[in-house]
């Protein structure tokens, strides 16, 4: 889809995947922190551990996509 307004910034698919990767990395680190902070509550800690691992897996997939689609200079 072409920009109809020449003053708008185009957000590419690469940009969107980069943002998704960045957000997943942030959430992974946040969940890891929460895991350590809630270690005395085993049920909550397990929940945060699972969330960190799942989000980390998503981040890895986004990273692989980024690596295969980056522009080589």
């Amino acid at each position: 889809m072409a920009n109809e307004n020449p003053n708008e910034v185009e957000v590419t698919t690469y940009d969107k995947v980069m943002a998704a990767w960045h957000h997943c990395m942030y959430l992974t680190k946040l969940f890891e922190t929460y895991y350590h902070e809630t270690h005395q509550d085993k049920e909550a800690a397990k929940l945060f551990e699972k969330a960190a691992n799942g989000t980390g897996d998503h981040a890895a997939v986004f990273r692989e996509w980024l690596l295969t689609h980056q522009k080589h200079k």
Side-chain angles (χ1 to χ4, degrees), residues 40-65:
Q40 292 180 350
D41 181 339
K42 300 292 184 201
E43 186 179 354
K46 188 71 172 170
L47 180 65
F48 285 120
E49 179 183 34
K50 185 175 180 180
N53 289 334
T55 309
D57 290 344
H58 292 299
V61 173
F62 286 129
R63 183 179 182 277
E64 281 301 312
W65 188 95

Side-chain angles (χ1 to χ4, degrees), residues 28-39:
T28 299
K29 291 175 184 177
L30 183 65
F31 294 151
E32 287 175 345
T33 298
Y34 289 168
Y35 165 76
H36 292 292
E37 291 175 351
T38 61
H39 70 276

